[in-house]
Amino acid sequence: MSKKILLILGHPSSDSLCAHLADAYASGATQAGCQVKQIRLGDLRFDPTLHEGYKRIQPLEDDLVKAQEAITWAAHLVFVYPTWWGAMPALLKGFIDRVFLPGFAFKYRQNSKFWDKLLAGRSAHLLVTMDTPPWYYRWIFSMPGHHQMKKTILEFSGIKPVKISSFGPIMNSSTKQREQWTAQALDFGREA
C-alpha cells in the first residue's frame, strides 16, 4: 500500500519559493509511488479568525471541511511555509486555529489535566524558508516558530515524529542555491 501524503502550502502565493519546494516534494513523492493530495491555503475561501475562541465553534467553510477530511485521510503531513516575524504566516496560523479543533485534533478529558491526541498515527515534515540564516534562528532566536508548530500544535495533536528542514537565508540567495533547495525538496519527497 502506498503512503498517503497531504502537502499543505502555507505561503499565500503560488509563485513563491515555498510553492516551488512544495511542487518538488510532491513530484518526488509521486515518483516514489506515494498518493499525494495538496492544499494551497492561498486558494481556499475561509475566515482565518476564530471569533469567539473555543467557547463556541463557528461553522466550518466547505474548504475547511475538505481540509479536515484530507488530514484524516493522510498518514503523513507536509507543511511548506515561510518564517515571517519568527513564526508561520497569519494565513497558516488561521488555518490551524480553524481546522485543528477540539474534537478533531484533540479532546480534553473530563476532570483531568490530560487530553486525547486525536491525530495520533501520523507523521509530519516541515519545509520552512527564512531570511535569517538557519543557524542564527536556532542558536540566537531559539527557533520559536519551529517549537510552536512541532510541539504545541502537531505533537499536542498526536502527530509525530515531526521532522523540520530549514532553508535560508532566502534573501539575496542565488538561482543556483534555490535550485539546490528545490532538488533537496524533491529528494525529501522521494524518501517519504
Side-chain angles (χ1 to χ4, degrees):
M1 179 184 282
S2 62
K3 190 172 195 176
K4 296 176 181 177
I5 297 175
L6 176 61
L7 197 147
I8 299 170
L9 175 60
H11 194 296
S13 173
S14 60
D15 185 29
S16 61
L17 177 59
C18 286
H20 295 295
L21 295 175
D23 290 341
Y25 189 101
S27 178
T30 301
Q31 290 171 22
C34 299
Q35 298 176 58
V36 180
K37 292 184 180 182
Q38 291 193 49
I39 296 174
R40 293 177 175 254
L41 298 189
D43 295 341
L44 301 188
R45 300 275 185 229
F46 71 98
D47 181 352
T49 304
L50 197 58
H51 291 280
E52 295 188 45
Y54 293 119
K55 288 190 297 184
R56 185 176 65 83
I57 303 299
Q58 63 201 61
L60 293 178
E61 294 86 348
D62 288 343
D63 283 343
L64 298 185
V65 170
K66 291 175 186 171
Q68 284 188 336
E69 291 169 355
I71 291 168
T72 300
W73 167 84
H76 185 65
L77 305 175
V78 179
F79 290 85
V80 186
Y81 59 93
T83 294
W84 292 344
W85 293 107
M88 69 188 80
L91 181 63
L92 178 54
K93 180 62 168 63
F95 174 81
I96 290 167
D97 285 348
R98 294 290 317 284
V99 170
F100 282 62
L101 297 170
F104 175 73
F106 65 95
K107 181 180 178 186
Y108 287 115
R109 297 177 187 165
Q110 193 170 2
N111 302 319
S112 174
K113 298 175 190 170
F114 299 99
W115 65 98
D116 294 317
K117 300 176 179 189
L118 302 180
L119 296 178
R122 291 165 183 79
S123 57
H125 191 170
L126 313 179
L127 306 182
V128 186
T129 63
M130 58 187 65
D131 284 333
T132 303
W135 67 266
Y136 195 91
Y137 185 70
R138 178 179 183 163
W139 296 109
I140 305 301
F141 293 150
S142 301
M143 305 184 302
H146 289 355
H147 290 299
Q148 176 189 27
M149 191 66 166
K150 178 180 179 175
K151 296 175 186 283
T152 66
I153 297 170
L154 299 177
E155 289 180 352
F156 182 89
S157 302
I159 299 170
K160 63 181 184 177
V162 177
K163 180 179 178 180
I164 303 173
S165 300
S166 300
F167 301 88
I170 302 304
M171 187 171 39
N172 300 321
S173 61
S174 67
T175 300
K176 181 178 179 183
Q177 178 62 71
R178 289 173 180 240
E179 288 170 353
Q180 289 173 344
W181 289 327
T182 303
Q184 190 176 3
L186 179 73
D187 288 341
F188 288 146
R190 288 178 178 149
E191 297 163 3

